[in-house]
Amino acid sequence: HRCVTGAGHRGGMDARDDLELDYLLPRELMTARGPVVVRTARPGDLAAGERMHHRCSTDSVFRRYFSAVPAISPTLQARLLETRLALVAEVGHEVVGLGHLADHQGQPVELALLVEDAWQRYGVGLALAEAALDVADLWGHERLVTYSLQTSTAAHALMRRLRSGALHPQFHQGEDGLVQTVLPLTGRALRGLTA
């Protein structure tokens, strides 16, 4: 699957970048349902991530993984937490959203998001994406890509809202039916504007 890597590294990170990452995260989002904390994932989040996947509808899982598999295996979930950057959106001790930056050799870094159904339309996906963009800026990336279904209009609208609409994402329909969205990053000056 294109969203999964086996690399659990921060290639090129130094102590200064670690300190900056600690400054960026965690962050709190206030929603109509209460506070949500966005932070980097930890190995101990595996069980909560599994529970979140079980609370997701088949449609939400399909839109994230492009697979009709009704459940995500523990092995896959563990690998998701080992991507270059794995973020969780947490309410209490429960994970309600996941965000990833995944490296693929010779390809741009990929941003992938999943928010459980009960927490969609509360800004959780936007908060995860904004946090991932800030980290991508920190790591010096000039662009990110995402993949979505042609019918994923909510995801496309979210991409247009990033950084108050300043990114001007580029949407490309692929032969496989997936839409590749290119997010050109405009540097650290915009970091945090909509975080």
Side-chain angles (χ1 to χ4, degrees), residues 33 96 128-129 189:
R33 296 187 61 185
V96 300
L128 284 165

Side-chain angles (χ1 to χ4, degrees), residues 60-141:
S60 288
V61 171
F62 185 81
R63 287 179 185 277
R64 166 60 176 86
Y65 299 103
F66 315 125
S67 169
V69 176
I72 305 302
S73 72
T75 300
L76 174 55
Q77 290 185 58
R79 290 177 66 190
L80 287 172
L81 294 181
E82 294 171 359
T83 54
R84 185 168 189 200
L85 174 73
L87 298 173
V88 298
E90 185 177 51
V91 176
H93 297 293
E94 288 299 319
V95 170
V96 300
L98 295 170
H100 300 94
L101 288 181
D103 280 331
H104 306 289
Q105 277 194 331
Q107 301 294 322
V109 174
E110 181 182 343
L111 168 66
L113 304 169
L114 175 64
V115 177
E116 71 173 75
D117 299 62
W119 282 91
Q120 292 175 12
R121 294 174 295 280
Y122 286 95
V124 176
L126 183 64
L128 284 165
E130 293 282 6
L133 289 182
D134 290 347
V135 175
D137 268 343
L138 173 65
W139 288 345
H141 295 295

Side-chain angles (χ1 to χ4, degrees), residues 45-54 77 95 98:
D45 293 322
L46 188 58
E50 183 176 1
R51 291 192 298 271
M52 188 207 81
H53 277 93
H54 283 297
Q77 290 185 58
V95 170
L98 295 170

